[in-house]
Amino acid sequence: MNTFGKFFRLTTFGESHGKAIGGIIDGCPAGLKLDFDQIQSELDRRKPGQSKIVTQRKESDTVQFLSGLLEGTTTGAPIGFMIPNENQHSKDYEHLKDVFRPSHADFTYYKKYGLRDVSGGGRSSARETANWVVGGAVAKQFLKNIEINAFVSSVGDLFLEKPYQSLDFSKIESNIVRCPDDETAEKMIQKIQEVRKAGDTIGGTVTCVIRNVPVGLGEPVFDKLHSELGRAMLSINAVKGFEYGSGFCGAKMRGSEHNDIFNPDGSTKTNLSGGIQGGISNGMDIYFRVAFKPVSTIMQKQQTINTKGESVEMQGRGRHDPCVVPRAVPIVEAMAAMVLADFVLMDRISRM
Amino acid sequence: MNTFGKFFRLTTFGESHGKAIGGIIDGCPAGLKLDFDQIQSELDRRKPGQSKIVTQRKESDTVQFLSGLLEGTTTGAPIGFMIPNENQHSKDYEHLKDVFRPSHADFTYYKKYGLRDVSGGGRSSARETANWVVGGAVAKQFLKNIEINAFVSSVGDLFLEKPYQSLDFSKIESNIVRCPDDETAEKMIQKIQEVRKAGDTIGGTVTCVIRNVPVGLGEPVFDKLHSELGRAMLSINAVKGFEYGSGFCGAKMRGSEHNDIFNPDGSTKTNLSGGIQGGISNGMDIYFRVAFKPVSTIMQKQQTINTKGESVEMQGRGRHDPCVVPRAVPIVEAMAAMVLADFVLMDRISRM
Amino acid sequence: MNTFGKFFRLTTFGESHGKAIGGIIDGCPAGLKLDFDQIQSELDRRKPGQSKIVTQRKESDTVQFLSGLLEGTTTGAPIGFMIPNENQHSKDYEHLKDVFRPSHADFTYYKKYGLRDVSGGGRSSARETANWVVGGAVAKQFLKNIEINAFVSSVGDLFLEKPYQSLDFSKIESNIVRCPDDETAEKMIQKIQEVRKAGDTIGGTVTCVIRNVPVGLGEPVFDKLHSELGRAMLSINAVKGFEYGSGFCGAKMRGSEHNDIFNPDGSTKTNLSGGIQGGISNGMDIYFRVAFKPVSTIMQKQQTINTKGESVEMQGRGRHDPCVVPRAVPIVEAMAAMVLADFVLMDRISRM
Amino acid sequence: MNTFGKFFRLTTFGESHGKAIGGIIDGCPAGLKLDFDQIQSELDRRKPGQSKIVTQRKESDTVQFLSGLLEGTTTGAPIGFMIPNENQHSKDYEHLKDVFRPSHADFTYYKKYGLRDVSGGGRSSARETANWVVGGAVAKQFLKNIEINAFVSSVGDLFLEKPYQSLDFSKIESNIVRCPDDETAEKMIQKIQEVRKAGDTIGGTVTCVIRNVPVGLGEPVFDKLHSELGRAMLSINAVKGFEYGSGFCGAKMRGSEHNDIFNPDGSTKTNLSGGIQGGISNGMDIYFRVAFKPVSTIMQKQQTINTKGESVEMQGRGRHDPCVVPRAVPIVEAMAAMVLADFVLMDRISRM
């Protein structure tokens, strides 16, 4: 249950309070020359402490590769990797030992497994997503020409109103909120700082656009390209919703408005389909939107209960994100990359 | 790739133009007494021709069980079943032989597999979902006390505005659009008829509520309860989006508003979490919403291309749904039931 | 648990007393033109009643294909098939209702599932292997040039002493015991008839030789080509052992005798490796041997117990094989073919 | 392809020349208190350099656990572990850079992956089995009362002729060849030393006996208990054959001799079935025998070819086992333990 993917597979382990987290990438074909700086730079995009609007926890998140490589090229053998934990403040969690934090996984884990792994939230810690970024970074290199770009499209009720086609994706990394529109980015940053000062947190959305996808990825029935993308996104901590192409807006439309009319070359004049028809890519841009709830740990007093079922008061401590979407951007891209890598491999066996 | 589920597994086959569709339910524990009338009645909820607002195609959709049962009780052996195809109007599709219908799977299938399986759309036909309803009906009986109710919550821009808690689910089947609010239902029916008269189609949403779920279903990382529900819903034809609990609205909220405060018994005062925290059920109602695009086949002239890449004009023929959501209701329930059955079994191995 | 294979997958259902058995072949690439006569002829090699040395039960074992084909060519969709049961003599089993037959699966099934599916032995019936022969026949056609030939290499203590290289495989079907050496075949047939007359049964071995295997099939660690072949063979009813290449004899040898010295072209002078080195095919012939125990149902009085744990006397009735190996030959080939098809597909994703 | 097991799963990585090998144990239920000394002692049984009849390479094989544990008890999270490589003599392999060693995996790997991972043989190195011993040691502790004992039953043509029932398994570890019969052990040790002096190697067999197995483990069709045991054993390096219960001898017998007659309590008077009937355990001892070929690396001159297809002469160097069976004993037990753990979990979902 800790394996993602069918062909390009990532199996992971680790909690934030142990010695290390890590994983095994299995199924990456032999002969792929890896750019390790690129992998580390993806981790750097996700790591804590990178800007004033994210958690101030410090982790260098340096990945070590342990196997599966010969002079930097994949051998077809499983790629084992490890990211040491440097910042294990178990004390930060001591006050939580007997308390169930509201809207966290504390209560459900305890009931499921019969024990509390308090420090850092056990496997529910978002630290796990560093493993995913490693898997995704390898997948991106495997995908070569396929371009995956995610960006922050809303923070609270502040929306980036422009169509993605008008955006310059090279600007995503130019600001700390990862929104490729300077004006909106500035407002988002202010909003997040304001929320943080109030000891509160705020939700947001991430939009992802995938270009240069070959026609034919995805399976017709249970492994539709979009159902696997949706599942991947819904695996990310704090995600509450997923829509692709016309999404929830499409549910308000009529067929005569919604149909994408073909050009003679097989491309379509519009792209409400979001690059996927019948579960299979049609060569147009794939785009989707992911909704993230506000982080549950707030720096305000809240009523809650302890393990004995007694009502107690608690207040968040430690270093937490006031808004997850800026750091979620590389995670969304990583999960998308692993899904696509899986389907690229899967497609190799669809014809004689 | 035609198998759904890890423990409670449904593997399916069939196209609408063949002799039969069918499947194999594998992993259903021994000792479950099945109510076959109940299974058939779920199929009847999905079948075409049941009312004036759905396709007028006629199929009795009668399921035949072929194995895995002893005097109506499951033996632990795989349950093979078959639904004969009665209404194979291959001629209905002859005019499509060389044409790619807009926003259908015709183009992507052809490119993926190198051949056209024109009649009825091959595996992309929604007829496949009859198999899912059989699997889901068996799963529902396995789940016993867990109650799964889906209903139509919007058609186009007509929304059922009431909170689900105020609805009487016993009224879902009292009208042909499957909306448990008489007034809204009436408007939806009128809207669909109006759209049909215009030779057009319209989208909508289905909401699903699951009650009496035990605490502890779902896995912390890659098999989160909601990511599997999302994947299941996104497998249904025409689905463009999925949200659970606060969903996309949650992305606009602050943590202080969004957190669900505990009652001493572990239940929560609010339920923006949607019954799932950290990927695991917390015992509160699970609820989610699914967006369906308008059906692509419209009874209007459209420009499109043929297999030679020539621009041609086409018009939908045959008998199609003007709006899929009324018939999607039992499909949403079926997929939800199979996901839950899978997790109930999975949970049996989580502790010593 | 009723699915065989990872890429080329067969999922099956059915008991001998139901309406039909059948299965779904999933993962067969699109574009394979099938020869249906060839498939039926493989079933005819397995069917009961074909000669005087096998069970006299009569079943035509006619396979019906239900999906996944367009004018006889695979479409990439799952291939559903069915074999109706014609000869359901439930009465033959009535006397067994409360009795556990020695060395049968009666006792273990009852304890595992808590119920008796007496008629025909439920899923433990060798009738299930007819499904495998269908899957294997499709796999054989997928494999094209790879030649798979199995034959009877011993019956009781009568051994075919010649090396397989000296045999003419075209003679396998020339006699009813399926041993490609006339003289030995004749002795085997006599032996089986003698055993049958005594109301007894006898064991034997089947040898299988696979030619024209490309270099590179199989995985280095857990999916070694020979471990999957072994598993496949050990899935066949009554099998007690598997060895490939030098097998158990190899365990007596020294390295200096056992090593296969290379020819300049990469072929080897000897082939004690059995065509597989490090789990991966090396292009030489693959060969292995499978041991079958004597059938448990004998026409003699035996002491046994009933479901109450009382000692009772029973005697086999009905129509049973005195020796399974002649009919096991096509089953061994079918399972080998499915394993190879799986690895041929798997190998498509091993390199960039 | 580097994952073993369906429920109790071990995924591994590592080559002998990298920094470490390791793995992830996923699916071990929460609440199992682990005895780490016991785990390390299993590794010590497998490690090189432990006696005069095994390779003199030195590796401490110390396992480090990285996750999934809380105060020594499993939490239900994946258990990551690592075994650092201490003895990386890449130079030992330099002379092999362009040479294909006879009966090794060099040639097949090169052809499959298009590259040579010379040092230590890449994933084909038996070092990988240290990972399996860790997985097996955890599985053994999960299995509690089920006792798994393997021992050397032959070296070359020297056989331990006594029935296993007459052996004292507590003596297995009393001698360096791991044969629980002093006299035979002494002869085996002499034989191995003699072979080593001749620069040669020799094959052998390992027998494994599993006691206290509950009735009902195993699945009727494709996941028979013995087919998974066979597959597991055939995954071990150098294995050429597997037989259980009567095995290849059973193929010479008659049904009237071979049938195991029941005692009133459901046990059987004889146990030619080897504790498994119809693929499911019947509560009697499970026993099986595994054939190992002689190690391919010999200290004698051999003709072989290089990567250019030129004929060259080579001679084994480095430190290799003259006979693998003494060190294979804990590996056989480990693989058997993982198979049984898988089936114990699987059986939890077989009934309502």
Side-chain angles (χ1 to χ4, degrees):
Chain A
M1 308 304 143
N2 290 283
T3 297
F4 184 81
K6 289 195 162 109
F7 296 74
F8 187 99
R9 287 180 302 283
L10 174 69
T11 303
T12 64
F13 69 87
E15 297 92 22
S16 58
H17 66 282
K19 287 179 206 153
I21 63 168
I24 301 173
I25 300 165
D26 196 10
C28 185
L32 175 65
K33 181 88 189 160
L34 288 183
D35 177 339
F36 296 98
D37 292 341
Q38 193 54 45
I39 296 170
Q40 187 58 49
S41 81
E42 293 286 350
L43 277 168
D44 293 345
R45 294 173 76 203
R46 195 215 72 98
K47 79 176 172 191
Q50 64 183 271
S51 82
K52 62 186 176 184
I53 58 167
V54 305
T55 171
Q56 295 307 302
R57 207 159 4 95
K58 293 283 178 195
E59 290 271 5
S60 74
D61 281 358
T62 309
V63 64
Q64 298 170 14
F65 287 95
L66 301 169
S67 68
L69 299 163
L70 193 64
E71 293 161 22
T73 296
T74 60
T75 61
I79 302 169
F81 67 87
M82 209 170 83
I83 305 173
N85 288 330
E86 297 163 352
N87 198 291
Q88 306 159 241
H89 286 203
S90 292
K91 276 182 213 150
D92 285 3
Y93 294 93
E94 216 153 85
H95 65 297
L96 301 173
K97 207 160 59 79
D98 301 315
V99 169
F100 296 128
R101 290 170 292 170
S103 290
H104 267 274
D106 299 345
F107 176 77
T108 52
Y109 273 48
Y110 180 66
K111 290 291 181 182
K112 184 176 185 75
Y113 296 113
L115 41 82
R116 280 297 294 276
D117 190 0
V118 168
S119 318
R123 286 290 279 168
S124 74
S125 165
R127 184 149 180 71
E128 159 72 6
T129 56
N131 288 329
W132 307 0
V133 169
V134 175
V138 173
K140 274 186 181 180
Q141 297 189 28
F142 168 72
L143 292 171
K144 306 219 177 270
N145 296 327
I146 298 177
E147 278 172 32
I148 303 174
N149 286 289
F151 56 89
V152 170
S153 47
S154 75
V155 169
D157 51 12
L158 272 173
F159 283 80
L160 170 55
E161 308 273 7
K162 301 176 181 167
Y164 80 80
Q165 292 86 345
S166 71
L167 300 172
D168 175 1
F169 291 165
S170 72
K171 295 184 70 177
I172 293 170
E173 292 299 312
S174 71
N175 60 63
I176 58 178
V177 78
R178 295 201 167 92
C179 172
D181 180 73
D182 290 337
E183 204 180 339
T184 315
E186 196 46 50
K187 286 184 198 158
M188 287 172 169
I189 293 166
Q190 278 172 27
K191 167 78 83 178
I192 294 172
Q193 286 183 298
E194 180 193 311
V195 162
R196 175 204 282 275
K197 268 172 214 148
D200 213 341
T201 59
I202 194 160
T205 59
V206 172
T207 294
C208 184
V209 180
I210 312 177
R211 284 167 166 158
N212 299 333
V213 181
V215 186
L217 302 189
E219 299 290 315
V221 181
F222 292 128
D223 293 274
K224 290 185 162 83
L225 180 46
H226 58 266
S227 66
E228 292 302 310
L229 284 170
R231 177 186 169 222
M233 298 307 138
L234 289 156
S235 298
I236 303 174
N237 305 43
V239 171
K240 302 299 287 186
F242 169 86
E243 58 177 6
Y244 79 104
S246 61
F248 277 89
C249 282
K252 297 187 206 160
M253 294 172 75
R254 298 197 175 203
S256 54
E257 308 168 273
H258 194 278
N259 281 353
D260 293 317
I261 302 305
F262 281 106
N263 294 313
D265 65 356
S267 66
T268 58
K269 294 180 201 299
T270 51
N271 183 17
L272 291 157
S273 297
I276 303 171
Q277 290 178 333
I280 300 171
S281 62
N282 69 350
M284 300 295 290
D285 291 351
I286 293 173
Y287 61 98
F288 57 83
R289 210 160 63 96
V290 188
F292 291 80
K293 69 166 190 174
V295 170
S296 305
T297 300
I298 56 177
M299 302 298 130
Q300 299 179 0
K301 285 213 170 80
Q302 291 180 100
Q303 279 307 115
T304 193
I305 57 170
N306 62 19
T307 50
K308 294 179 205 149
E310 297 162 343
S311 190
V312 293
E313 195 171 66
M314 67 160 289
Q315 179 165 350
R317 267 188 256 172
R319 297 147 301 168
H320 295 274
D321 286 286
C323 180
V324 293
V325 286
R327 290 178 62 210
V329 165
I331 303 167
V332 165
E333 289 180 3
M335 293 306 277
M338 285 197 286
V339 169
L340 282 165
D342 216 30
F343 279 112
V344 166
L345 291 174
M346 206 180 297
D347 196 48
R348 289 195 189 173
I349 61 174
S350 59
R351 289 209 207 182
M352 282 303 289
Chain B
M1 310 303 143
N2 290 283
T3 297
F4 185 79
K6 290 195 162 108
F7 296 74
F8 188 101
R9 287 179 303 281
L10 174 69
T11 303
T12 63
F13 70 86
E15 297 92 21
S16 58
H17 66 281
K19 287 180 207 153
I21 63 169
I24 301 174
I25 300 166
D26 196 9
C28 186
L32 175 65
K33 181 89 190 162
L34 288 182
D35 177 338
F36 296 98
D37 292 342
Q38 192 55 43
I39 296 169
Q40 187 58 49
S41 81
E42 293 286 350
L43 277 168
D44 293 345
R45 294 173 75 203
R46 195 214 73 99
K47 77 176 176 192
Q50 64 183 275
S51 81
K52 62 186 176 184
I53 59 169
V54 304
T55 170
Q56 296 307 301
R57 206 161 3 97
K58 293 284 179 195
E59 289 272 6
S60 75
D61 281 356
T62 308
V63 62
Q64 298 171 12
F65 287 95
L66 301 169
S67 68
L69 298 163
L70 192 65
E71 293 161 21
T73 296
T74 60
T75 62
I79 302 169
F81 66 87
M82 210 171 83
I83 305 173
N85 286 330
E86 297 163 352
N87 198 289
Q88 306 159 240
H89 286 204
S90 292
K91 276 181 211 150
D92 286 3
Y93 295 92
E94 218 153 85
H95 66 297
L96 301 173
K97 207 160 59 77
D98 300 315
V99 168
F100 296 128
R101 290 169 293 170
S103 290
H104 267 273
D106 298 346
F107 175 76
T108 53
Y109 272 49
Y110 179 66
K111 291 291 179 180
K112 185 176 185 74
Y113 296 113
L115 42 80
R116 280 297 295 277
D117 189 2
V118 168
S119 319
R123 285 292 279 168
S124 74
S125 164
R127 183 148 180 71
E128 160 71 7
T129 56
N131 288 329
W132 307 359
V133 169
V134 175
V138 172
K140 275 187 180 179
Q141 297 189 28
F142 168 71
L143 292 172
K144 305 220 178 268
N145 295 328
I146 298 176
E147 278 173 30
I148 303 174
N149 285 290
F151 55 90
V152 170
S153 47
S154 76
V155 169
D157 51 12
L158 271 175
F159 282 80
L160 170 54
E161 307 274 6
K162 300 177 181 168
Y164 81 78
Q165 293 85 347
S166 72
L167 300 172
D168 175 2
F169 291 164
S170 71
K171 294 182 72 178
I172 294 170
E173 293 298 313
S174 70
N175 59 63
I176 58 177
V177 78
R178 296 202 166 92
C179 173
D181 180 75
D182 291 338
E183 206 181 338
T184 315
E186 194 47 48
K187 286 184 197 157
M188 288 171 169
I189 294 166
Q190 278 172 27
K191 167 78 81 177
I192 294 172
Q193 285 183 299
E194 182 194 310
V195 163
R196 175 203 285 273
K197 267 172 214 148
D200 213 339
T201 59
I202 194 160
T205 60
V206 171
T207 294
C208 183
V209 180
I210 312 178
R211 286 167 165 158
N212 299 330
V213 181
V215 186
L217 302 188
E219 298 290 314
V221 181
F222 292 127
D223 294 274
K224 290 185 163 82
L225 180 45
H226 58 266
S227 66
E228 292 302 309
L229 283 169
R231 176 185 169 223
M233 297 308 136
L234 288 156
S235 298
I236 303 174
N237 304 44
V239 171
K240 301 299 288 187
F242 169 86
E243 59 178 4
Y244 80 103
S246 62
F248 277 89
C249 282
K252 298 187 206 162
M253 294 172 76
R254 298 198 173 201
S256 54
E257 305 168 276
H258 194 277
N259 281 352
D260 293 317
I261 303 304
F262 281 107
N263 294 313
D265 65 355
S267 67
T268 58
K269 293 181 202 298
T270 50
N271 182 19
L272 290 158
S273 297
I276 303 172
Q277 290 178 333
I280 300 171
S281 63
N282 70 350
M284 300 296 291
D285 290 352
I286 292 172
Y287 61 97
F288 57 83
R289 210 160 65 96
V290 188
F292 292 80
K293 68 167 190 173
V295 170
S296 304
T297 301
I298 56 176
M299 302 298 131
Q300 300 179 0
K301 285 211 170 79
Q302 292 179 99
Q303 279 306 115
T304 194
I305 57 169
N306 63 19
T307 51
K308 294 178 204 150
E310 298 163 341
S311 190
V312 292
E313 196 172 66
M314 65 160 289
Q315 179 166 348
R317 266 189 256 171
R319 297 147 301 167
H320 295 273
D321 286 284
C323 180
V324 293
V325 285
R327 289 178 62 210
V329 164
I331 302 168
V332 165
E333 291 181 3
M335 293 306 275
M338 285 197 285
V339 169
L340 283 165
D342 216 30
F343 278 112
V344 166
L345 291 174
M346 206 179 297
D347 196 48
R348 289 194 189 174
I349 61 175
S350 60
R351 290 210 207 182
M352 283 301 290
Chain C
M1 309 304 141
N2 289 284
T3 297
F4 185 79
K6 290 195 162 108
F7 296 73
F8 188 100
R9 287 178 302 282
L10 174 69
T11 302
T12 63
F13 71 85
E15 296 92 22
S16 58
H17 66 282
K19 287 179 206 151
I21 63 169
I24 300 174
I25 299 165
D26 196 9
C28 186
L32 176 65
K33 181 89 190 160
L34 288 182
D35 177 338
F36 295 98
D37 291 342
Q38 193 54 44
I39 296 170
Q40 187 58 49
S41 82
E42 293 286 350
L43 276 168
D44 293 346
R45 293 173 75 204
R46 195 214 73 100
K47 78 176 174 192
Q50 64 184 273
S51 81
K52 63 186 176 184
I53 59 168
V54 305
T55 171
Q56 296 307 301
R57 206 161 5 96
K58 291 284 178 196
E59 291 271 6
S60 75
D61 282 356
T62 308
V63 63
Q64 299 171 13
F65 286 95
L66 301 169
S67 69
L69 298 163
L70 192 65
E71 292 161 21
T73 296
T74 59
T75 62
I79 303 168
F81 66 86
M82 209 170 82
I83 306 172
N85 287 329
E86 297 163 351
N87 199 290
Q88 305 159 240
H89 286 205
S90 292
K91 276 181 212 152
D92 285 2
Y93 294 92
E94 216 152 87
H95 66 296
L96 301 173
K97 206 160 59 78
D98 301 316
V99 168
F100 296 128
R101 290 169 293 170
S103 290
H104 268 273
D106 299 346
F107 175 76
T108 53
Y109 273 48
Y110 179 67
K111 290 291 180 180
K112 184 176 186 74
Y113 297 112
L115 41 81
R116 281 297 294 278
D117 189 2
V118 168
S119 320
R123 286 291 279 168
S124 73
S125 165
R127 183 148 179 72
E128 159 72 8
T129 56
N131 287 329
W132 308 358
V133 169
V134 175
V138 173
K140 274 187 181 180
Q141 297 189 27
F142 167 72
L143 293 171
K144 306 222 178 266
N145 296 327
I146 299 177
E147 278 172 32
I148 303 174
N149 285 290
F151 55 90
V152 170
S153 47
S154 76
V155 168
D157 50 12
L158 271 174
F159 283 79
L160 170 56
E161 307 274 5
K162 299 176 183 169
Y164 81 80
Q165 292 85 346
S166 71
L167 300 172
D168 175 1
F169 291 165
S170 71
K171 294 184 70 177
I172 293 171
E173 292 299 313
S174 71
N175 59 62
I176 57 178
V177 78
R178 296 199 166 93
C179 173
D181 180 75
D182 292 338
E183 204 181 340
T184 316
E186 195 45 50
K187 286 184 198 158
M188 288 173 170
I189 293 165
Q190 279 171 26
K191 167 77 81 176
I192 294 172
Q193 286 183 297
E194 181 194 310
V195 162
R196 175 203 284 273
K197 267 172 214 148
D200 213 339
T201 60
I202 193 159
T205 60
V206 171
T207 293
C208 184
V209 180
I210 312 177
R211 285 167 166 160
N212 300 332
V213 181
V215 186
L217 303 188
E219 299 290 314
V221 181
F222 292 128
D223 294 274
K224 290 185 163 83
L225 180 46
H226 58 266
S227 67
E228 292 302 311
L229 284 170
R231 176 185 169 222
M233 297 309 137
L234 288 156
S235 297
I236 303 173
N237 304 43
V239 171
K240 302 297 288 185
F242 169 87
E243 59 178 5
Y244 79 104
S246 62
F248 277 88
C249 282
K252 297 186 207 162
M253 294 171 75
R254 298 197 173 202
S256 54
E257 306 168 275
H258 194 277
N259 281 352
D260 292 317
I261 303 304
F262 281 108
N263 294 314
D265 64 355
S267 66
T268 58
K269 294 180 200 299
T270 50
N271 183 18
L272 290 157
S273 297
I276 303 172
Q277 289 178 333
I280 301 170
S281 62
N282 69 350
M284 300 294 291
D285 292 349
I286 293 173
Y287 61 96
F288 57 82
R289 210 160 64 96
V290 188
F292 292 79
K293 68 168 190 172
V295 171
S296 305
T297 301
I298 55 176
M299 303 297 131
Q300 299 180 359
K301 284 211 171 79
Q302 290 178 100
Q303 279 307 115
T304 193
I305 58 170
N306 62 20
T307 50
K308 294 179 204 151
E310 296 163 343
S311 190
V312 293
E313 195 171 65
M314 66 159 289
Q315 179 165 349
R317 269 188 254 171
R319 297 146 302 167
H320 296 273
D321 286 285
C323 181
V324 293
V325 287
R327 289 179 61 211
V329 164
I331 302 168
V332 164
E333 290 182 7
M335 292 306 276
M338 285 197 285
V339 169
L340 283 164
D342 216 30
F343 279 111
V344 166
L345 291 174
M346 206 180 298
D347 196 47
R348 289 194 189 175
I349 61 174
S350 60
R351 290 209 207 182
M352 283 302 289
Chain D
M1 309 303 142
N2 289 282
T3 297
F4 185 80
K6 289 195 162 109
F7 297 74
F8 188 100
R9 288 180 301 282
L10 174 70
T11 303
T12 63
F13 71 87
E15 297 91 21
S16 58
H17 66 282
K19 288 180 206 152
I21 62 168
I24 300 175
I25 300 166
D26 196 9
C28 186
L32 176 65
K33 181 89 190 160
L34 288 182
D35 177 338
F36 296 98
D37 292 342
Q38 193 55 44
I39 296 169
Q40 187 59 49
S41 81
E42 293 286 350
L43 277 168
D44 293 345
R45 294 173 75 201
R46 194 214 74 100
K47 78 175 175 192
Q50 65 184 272
S51 81
K52 63 187 175 184
I53 58 168
V54 305
T55 170
Q56 295 307 302
R57 206 162 3 97
K58 292 284 178 194
E59 290 270 7
S60 75
D61 281 357
T62 308
V63 64
Q64 298 170 13
F65 286 95
L66 301 169
S67 69
L69 298 163
L70 193 65
E71 292 160 22
T73 297
T74 59
T75 62
I79 302 168
F81 66 87
M82 210 170 82
I83 306 172
N85 287 330
E86 298 163 351
N87 198 291
Q88 306 158 240
H89 286 203
S90 292
K91 277 181 212 152
D92 285 4
Y93 295 93
E94 217 153 85
H95 66 296
L96 301 173
K97 207 161 57 80
D98 301 315
V99 168
F100 297 128
R101 290 169 293 170
S103 290
H104 268 273
D106 300 345
F107 176 77
T108 54
Y109 272 49
Y110 180 67
K111 291 290 181 182
K112 183 176 186 75
Y113 296 112
L115 41 81
R116 280 297 295 275
D117 190 2
V118 168
S119 317
R123 286 291 280 168
S124 75
S125 164
R127 182 146 181 74
E128 159 72 7
T129 56
N131 288 328
W132 308 359
V133 169
V134 175
V138 173
K140 273 187 181 180
Q141 296 190 28
F142 167 72
L143 292 172
K144 305 220 177 268
N145 295 327
I146 298 177
E147 277 173 32
I148 303 174
N149 285 289
F151 56 90
V152 170
S153 47
S154 75
V155 169
D157 52 11
L158 271 174
F159 284 79
L160 170 54
E161 308 273 6
K162 300 175 182 168
Y164 81 79
Q165 292 86 346
S166 72
L167 301 172
D168 175 3
F169 291 164
S170 71
K171 295 183 71 177
I172 293 170
E173 292 300 311
S174 71
N175 59 64
I176 57 177
V177 78
R178 295 201 167 94
C179 172
D181 181 74
D182 291 336
E183 205 181 338
T184 315
E186 196 46 49
K187 285 184 197 158
M188 287 172 170
I189 293 165
Q190 279 172 27
K191 167 78 80 178
I192 294 172
Q193 286 184 299
E194 181 193 311
V195 162
R196 175 203 284 274
K197 265 172 217 149
D200 214 339
T201 59
I202 193 160
T205 60
V206 172
T207 294
C208 184
V209 180
I210 312 177
R211 285 167 166 158
N212 298 331
V213 181
V215 186
L217 302 188
E219 299 290 314
V221 181
F222 292 128
D223 294 273
K224 289 184 165 82
L225 180 45
H226 58 265
S227 66
E228 292 302 309
L229 284 169
R231 176 186 169 223
M233 297 307 137
L234 289 156
S235 298
I236 302 173
N237 305 43
V239 170
K240 302 298 287 186
F242 169 85
E243 60 177 5
Y244 80 104
S246 62
F248 277 88
C249 282
K252 299 187 205 160
M253 294 172 74
R254 299 197 173 201
S256 54
E257 305 168 276
H258 194 277
N259 281 352
D260 292 317
I261 302 305
F262 281 107
N263 294 313
D265 65 356
S267 66
T268 58
K269 293 180 202 300
T270 50
N271 182 18
L272 290 158
S273 298
I276 303 172
Q277 290 179 332
I280 301 171
S281 63
N282 70 350
M284 299 296 290
D285 292 351
I286 292 172
Y287 61 97
F288 57 82
R289 210 159 65 95
V290 188
F292 292 81
K293 69 168 190 174
V295 170
S296 304
T297 301
I298 56 176
M299 303 298 129
Q300 299 179 0
K301 285 212 170 79
Q302 291 179 100
Q303 279 306 116
T304 192
I305 58 170
N306 63 19
T307 50
K308 296 179 204 148
E310 297 163 343
S311 191
V312 293
E313 194 172 67
M314 66 159 289
Q315 178 165 351
R317 266 189 256 172
R319 297 147 301 167
H320 296 273
D321 286 284
C323 179
V324 294
V325 286
R327 289 179 62 210
V329 164
I331 302 166
V332 164
E333 290 182 7
M335 293 306 277
M338 286 197 285
V339 169
L340 282 165
D342 215 30
F343 279 112
V344 165
L345 291 174
M346 206 180 298
D347 196 48
R348 289 195 190 173
I349 60 174
S350 60
R351 289 209 205 181
M352 283 301 289

